[in-house]
Amino acid sequence: MSLIAAENLEKVYDNDGVKTRALYNATFSIDKGGFISIMGPSGSGKSTLMQVLGLLDRPTGGTYLLDGKNVTEFSDDELARLRNKKIGFVFQSFNLLPKTSVSENVELPLLYDDHPIENNAKRVKEALEAVGMSHRADYLSNQLSGGEKQRVAIARALVNDPEIIFADEPTGNLDSKSGLQVMTILQKLNNAGRTIVLVTHETYTAEHAKRVLLMKDGQIVGDQPVTTRRFADGKDTPLK
């Protein structure tokens, strides 16, 4: 069974009677443990699709099954619980709280779940270790470089042990070296079994995934495997 199954997904925005169709006829599936890039130019609908898949927005048509559950029929509270349990997010702008410590930023999602609070420190420590940021645990977020901020953002996405990580242009504000470090972390998380859905407009970044969905004008116009995967050492390795 697919982890994500979308059929004829559509999203129409209505602004004072002016309707804009940002997404339509999106039909595809993603298996558990997949690493998918959603690629396309600005305005192609890729971020809209990610927001729908990440339960941040509702589609206006079609069906979306997440782990076999039709989430288009869920209440807002049910969507929030499912989102907090199964999904982690990484955004281009990091979305860290300024003048707040790295540990406190990573801990934030734990304040909204039902786990015992005494376990928070251990879970934050493990998440920071996974991205190589333990040595910055007590730094304020505004004392970090862009690459370090994004690694902290990934740790925050990991702290609830989500099944899926959605990354929206995670390298967009980074130099090439920092971007490669971030993509290497996402590859390692995928190798450990997590499902990664990456939104990007950059071909080089998209090719770190295993499969690319191409979007244009709100539609999926291509769905192709990545045959040669990029790695941070600069080598291109054929996928078996």
Side-chain angles (χ1 to χ4, degrees):
M1 182 177 66
S2 299
L3 178 59
I4 288 174
E7 184 174 353
N8 297 323
L9 279 185
E10 179 179 274
K11 180 64 182 181
V12 177
Y13 294 101
D14 190 337
N15 186 12
D16 294 329
V18 178
K19 294 185 177 181
T20 303
R21 188 164 61 171
L23 175 69
Y24 62 102
N25 197 32
T27 299
F28 61 95
S29 62
I30 301 173
D31 291 336
K32 292 182 179 181
F35 189 165
I36 309 300
S37 287
I38 303 173
M39 184 181 171
S42 178
S44 62
K46 57 188 186 297
S47 290
T48 298
L49 178 57
M50 191 212 75
Q51 289 168 358
V52 169
L53 296 180
L55 311 181
L56 296 173
D57 202 356
R58 290 181 179 272
T60 48
T63 302
Y64 174 24
L65 301 181
L66 179 59
D67 211 9
K69 300 174 182 177
N70 188 354
V71 298
T72 53
E73 299 175 350
F74 280 22
S75 69
D76 289 345
D77 286 344
E78 288 172 324
L79 289 177
R81 285 193 293 270
L82 187 60
R83 186 170 58 239
N84 197 50
K85 180 180 179 181
K86 280 188 171 288
I87 296 173
F89 294 98
V90 180
F91 297 100
Q92 178 178 350
S93 56
F94 319 129
N95 291 353
L96 301 180
L97 297 177
K99 299 183 179 179
T100 304
S101 75
V102 164
S103 291
E104 289 169 331
N105 269 284
V106 174
E107 185 185 18
L108 189 60
L110 298 177
L111 305 179
Y112 298 93
D113 71 9
D114 54 1
H115 290 87
I117 194 170
E118 57 267 23
N119 293 338
N120 284 9
K122 179 176 181 291
R123 293 170 69 183
V124 169
K125 182 175 181 291
E126 290 173 348
L128 287 173
E129 287 174 349
V131 299
M133 287 296 290
S134 298
H135 63 299
R136 295 284 193 258
D138 296 325
Y139 278 56
L140 299 181
S141 63
N142 58 354
Q143 295 177 313
L144 304 178
S145 68
E148 288 175 330
K149 288 178 180 178
Q150 196 60 290
R151 286 155 66 187
V152 172
I154 295 173
R156 183 182 56 194
L158 283 174
V159 76
N160 264 339
D161 193 25
E163 193 167 356
I164 313 169
I165 294 178
F166 288 94
D168 192 358
E169 300 280 8
T171 64
N173 286 337
L174 305 180
D175 59 44
S176 58
K177 180 180 178 180
S178 298
L180 284 170
Q181 290 174 340
V182 165
M183 293 311 303
T184 299
I185 290 171
L186 292 178
Q187 285 177 336
K188 288 179 179 178
L189 294 174
N190 177 244
N191 291 340
R194 296 187 197 272
T195 303
I196 309 293
V197 179
L198 168 73
V199 169
T200 184
H201 67 277
E202 300 169 334
T203 300
Y204 183 83
T205 301
E207 289 177 349
H208 286 78
K210 297 175 181 176
R211 175 179 159 209
V212 178
L213 295 180
L214 298 172
M215 294 197 69
K216 182 179 179 181
D217 299 330
Q219 286 187 296
I220 295 174
V221 295
D223 184 347
Q224 58 196 41
V226 176
T227 56
T228 301
R229 198 172 190 188
R230 300 295 179 100
F231 288 89
D233 60 6
K235 296 179 180 179
D236 292 347
T237 303
L239 292 177
K240 297 180 180 179

